[in-house]
Amino acid sequence: LIDQGAITQSRLSTPLSYTGIMEQIKALFSKTEFAIKSGLKKADFSYLSKNGKCSTCSGYGKIKTSMDFMSDIWLTCFSCKGMRYNELILACKFKERSIGEVCGMTVLEAIEFFDTEAILQSLKILKRVGVGHLLLGQAGNTLSGGEAQRLKLAASMMGRRTGATLYLFDEPSSGLHYFDILQLIEVFQLLVGRGDTVIFIEHNSTLIGAADEVVTLGPGSGENGGSVIY
């Protein structure tokens, strides 16, 4: 079920960690000459690890300030400048970029940066579902409902196939620009083309027009709805 519910309420979850791409990037940095000389392991390139996280913000990249009569505010960490990692980890570079700088890239920027096929394949799926604008290290609780929905779809597409899948969508066009809807249709056609089934509840005529089969419910809404009209 691919709905628009939040993927997380935590600032520690990101598009990278949610989709599993982070594991591939951590492995890449752990194989650099600097990491090998410094004795850094793959696990150290996690901002949740004791050896990797910034000690000032504990890997959040921001510091919470409690306000007595207003909501808490989060300010960029003065130690790591929002990059979540400590100085040793940030000193390790891949193609002259630290892992903190990579987390600050958008999906589209990362596609131009990386040349590892496995990472590129996953990033291109994110682009295809229409979240190329997201920062790789963006806090998961800052995503909109539409962004969360498309991120869930991307994560599903990246997973190992165990057979045909049934995808159920609730109003997938909600909040999308017309051109984003066209991009979403391409993704749906890709899923159908590989043997999966897509069922969606929708009122957008463009998306409805792309369906192979349409079931119309009505004749009205609420107590006057629910019958199969067509």
Side-chain angles (χ1 to χ4, degrees):
L1 173 63
I2 311 291
D3 61 12
Q4 294 200 8
I7 61 172
T8 179
Q9 296 299 325
S10 172
R11 287 181 172 271
L12 294 175
S13 178
T14 66
L16 281 182
S17 62
Y18 184 78
T19 57
I21 303 174
M22 190 60 163
E23 293 302 310
Q24 298 171 314
I25 293 178
K26 283 159 53 180
L28 206 59
F29 273 89
S30 68
K31 295 175 183 177
T32 60
E33 183 178 352
F34 181 91
I36 294 172
K37 286 184 177 180
S38 302
L40 295 174
K41 307 300 182 183
K42 176 184 174 182
D44 296 328
F45 288 92
S46 168
Y47 51 77
L48 299 177
S49 70
K50 179 180 178 181
N51 295 331
K53 65 183 177 182
C54 168
S55 59
T56 303
C57 65
S58 298
Y60 283 91
K62 293 181 179 293
I63 299 175
K64 183 172 73 171
T65 301
S66 298
M67 309 293 285
D68 290 336
F69 303 105
M70 295 185 292
S71 300
D72 297 337
I73 59 174
W74 289 79
L75 301 175
T76 301
C77 176
F78 57 86
S79 294
C80 66
K81 304 297 187 295
M83 294 191 185
R84 300 177 182 259
Y85 293 92
N86 60 41
E87 291 184 358
L88 177 61
I89 299 299
L90 292 176
C92 181
K93 302 293 179 71
F94 172 77
K95 293 174 67 172
E96 301 183 358
R97 292 289 188 273
S98 70
I99 193 168
E101 291 173 312
V102 168
C103 289
M105 294 179 179
T106 64
V107 172
L108 295 179
E109 290 171 340
I111 289 175
E112 296 298 321
F113 176 76
F114 286 106
D115 48 24
T116 304
E117 186 59 30
I119 295 177
L120 278 175
Q121 286 181 357
S122 297
L123 291 172
K124 287 178 180 178
I125 290 176
L126 290 175
K127 176 185 176 183
R128 179 171 282 173
V129 301
V131 289
H133 62 283
L134 287 184
L135 298 177
L136 298 181
Q138 185 171 334
N141 65 346
T142 65
L143 301 179
S144 70
E147 289 168 340
Q149 185 176 42
R150 284 173 279 166
L151 198 59
K152 293 174 187 178
L153 174 59
S156 173
M157 293 173 67
M158 292 176 197
R160 181 178 298 176
R161 282 180 62 79
T162 57
T165 301
L166 170 63
Y167 290 92
L168 302 176
F169 289 85
D170 183 11
E171 300 282 0
S173 72
S174 179
L176 296 188
H177 186 276
Y178 174 73
F179 291 108
D180 290 326
I181 292 174
L182 296 182
Q183 195 169 27
L184 185 62
I185 290 172
E186 289 184 9
V187 175
F188 284 176
Q189 298 291 11
L190 174 67
L191 294 174
V192 173
R194 69 180 192 176
D196 296 332
T197 299
V198 176
I199 298 177
F200 55 83
I201 303 167
E202 189 56 74
H203 293 83
N204 182 277
S205 59
T206 302
L207 202 50
I208 293 173
D212 295 315
E213 302 287 346
V214 178
V215 177
T216 305
L217 300 179
S221 58
E223 294 179 351
N224 299 316
S227 299
V228 176
I229 302 297
Y230 171 77

